[in-house]
Amino acid sequence: MKEVPTQTSGTPISKAVDYLKLHFREKIRLQELADRFHLSAAYFGQQFKRETGYSFHDYILHLRIEEARKLLRRTDMLVSDIAAALGYQDSDYFSDKFKAVTGELPSSYKNKRQGGA
């Protein structure tokens, strides 16, 4: 999995990245963030991809999946509780997204990491 960039230059996109790192558990729309930085949604989306290498939605997905991986390794939280903590109302949808990024289901990931593997 490609590493999520931690910071770009001093642009509105770098400020948006900082904002997303603090608020990725919340429902965030590209339009709302673009408005926050006084940019059109289309321009913001293009610049975001250019500066981070990710689309806006993929960036948020990767932030959430990285946090899920930490929680699966370090806590005894249920997959459904982790999904809810990361802003997913449907744990099956979360599991599908997790598998798409990591190649395995959250439950398998958790069992491997906590089972001493």
Side-chain angles (χ1 to χ4, degrees), residues 42-80:
Y43 179 78
F44 179 83
Q46 291 168 352
Q47 286 301 112
F48 195 93
K49 172 88 175 180
R50 188 173 292 126
E51 291 188 32
T52 67
Y54 283 94
S55 72
F56 178 77
H57 295 290
D58 283 349
Y59 189 85
I60 293 171
L61 172 64
H62 281 80
L63 287 175
R64 289 177 175 165
I65 297 304
E66 280 305 308
E67 183 66 14
R69 291 170 75 163
K70 289 177 193 172
L71 293 171
L72 288 164
R73 283 193 306 262
R74 299 177 186 164
T75 72
D76 290 327
M77 291 174 72
L78 298 173
V79 171
S80 58

Side-chain angles (χ1 to χ4, degrees), residues 91-111:
S91 61
D92 289 336
Y93 179 77
F94 164 73
S95 292
D96 289 345
K97 291 297 187 180
F98 188 93
K99 185 174 184 181
V101 172
T102 67
E104 58 189 323
L105 292 170
S107 54
S108 299
Y109 184 88
K110 181 180 184 90
N111 291 337

